[in-house]
Amino acid sequence: DTEVTQTPKHLVMGMTNKKSLKCEQHMGHRAMYWYKQKAKKPPELMFVYSYEKLSINESVPSRFSPECPNSSLLNLHLHALQPEDSALYLCASSQIQRTGEALKNIQYFGAGTRLSVL
Amino acid sequence: GQQLNQSPQSMFIQEGEDVSMNCTSSSIFNTWLWYKQDPGEGPVLLIALYKAGELTSNGRLTAQFGITRKDSFLNISASIPSDVGIYFCAGPLETGNQFYFGTGTSLTVIP
């Protein structure tokens, strides 16, 4: 099973709303990620959690607040967003495995949450 | 951040033709990943490459990890309409959990 599950699939919110995006994986991966993606562009890294601790924050505005309640779950809390924050938000997970001489580090993505801020 | 240069930026091909795209970096990667993304969906992993020089196939897809570990290519044989989408290369540096992405190749298959 290489599934990363994201909810909701679609979200429309006003600029004064508070909402949360949720992500879940049961692959035992200890690294989890949030990305923001605009149309036809590569994903832009927002946050990385490693062993449930925030290890990378790519200078993301404080209106985005990540949370990692346990090793399987990752949330992204949204508050006072701007219309330019409308995008596809992707969750991913990965785990480094050494097999003989090979170092395997594969990242799997969820289907994303399409966010529209009005 | 690391720059992965992916080419071509877009391709328009006839159904049944073969496709080739590549990805280069100035840094060494320990893993090269190729993803396909449909509009409004998350990237789906196609092929993962672990060893320099490694050639890996997955159905009509073939990918190779360059000897220098700074480049990779992806070939698609006998393209079909469902191959339409954006293809991204990606990989982590030798240490750490941060993944870097190419700029993407948009593929259009004309029936």
Side-chain angles (χ1 to χ4, degrees):
Chain A
D1 178 16
T2 58
E3 190 170 353
V4 177
T5 303
Q6 286 188 247
T7 56
K9 178 74 171 170
H10 302 278
L11 180 62
V12 180
M13 59 187 292
M15 289 190 283
T16 59
N17 291 159
K18 285 185 181 180
K19 296 285 184 183
S20 296
L21 308 184
K22 297 187 182 300
C23 176
E24 188 169 2
Q25 59 88 13
H26 295 287
M27 294 178 276
H29 289 177
R30 301 316 296 268
M32 296 186 74
Y33 308 74
W34 281 114
Y35 290 88
K36 174 184 177 182
Q37 187 180 30
K38 292 285 196 178
K40 300 188 179 182
K41 298 293 185 183
E44 297 174 35
L45 183 64
M46 298 175 73
F47 302 104
V48 181
Y49 272 82
S50 179
Y51 290 87
E52 299 157 55
K53 287 186 168 39
L54 184 64
S55 62
I56 297 177
N57 176 343
E58 289 287 346
S59 301
V60 179
S62 60
R63 57 186 184 268
F64 295 92
S65 174
E67 178 197 18
C68 189
N70 60 53
S71 61
S72 300
L73 295 175
L74 188 65
N75 298 322
L76 186 62
H77 302 298
L78 314 173
H79 174 53
L81 294 193
Q82 303 297 310
E84 60 265 28
D85 296 322
S86 299
L88 183 67
Y89 287 84
L90 295 166
C91 175
S93 71
S94 72
Q95 182 73 19
I96 298 175
Q97 296 175 321
R98 188 173 290 280
T99 306
E101 293 181 359
L103 192 66
K104 299 184 177 183
N105 192 358
I106 302 178
Q107 186 173 67
Y108 295 97
F109 284 85
T113 294
R114 170 66 62 189
L115 174 66
S116 297
V117 182
L118 305 178
Chain B
Q2 295 297 320
Q3 186 83 16
L4 295 187
N5 300 306
Q6 197 169 339
S7 63
Q9 185 176 3
S10 61
M11 302 181 74
F12 294 81
I13 62 168
Q14 293 285 340
E15 183 177 357
E17 289 184 352
D18 296 343
V19 172
S20 184
M21 60 189 78
N22 62 62
C23 190
T24 61
S25 170
S26 58
S27 301
I28 292 174
F29 284 77
N30 64 35
T31 303
W32 278 95
L33 307 171
W34 284 96
Y35 295 91
K36 176 178 182 278
Q37 187 173 23
D38 293 328
E41 298 290 330
V44 174
L45 183 67
L46 299 174
I47 287 183
L49 301 161
Y50 311 116
K51 296 180 186 176
E54 180 182 27
L55 187 70
T56 297
S57 294
N58 178 8
R60 294 180 295 107
L61 307 179
T62 302
Q64 184 157 27
F65 197 155
I67 288 290
T68 63
R69 293 165 65 194
K70 293 183 179 181
D71 63 296
S72 175
F73 72 73
L74 175 70
N75 289 342
I76 305 172
S77 62
S79 58
I80 59 178
S82 61
D83 290 333
V84 167
I86 300 181
Y87 291 77
F88 290 104
C89 60
L93 294 178
E94 285 201 86
T95 58
N97 284 324
Q98 192 160 356
F99 287 74
Y100 297 90
F101 285 81
T103 48
T105 293
S106 175
L107 177 63
T108 301
V109 179
I110 303 165

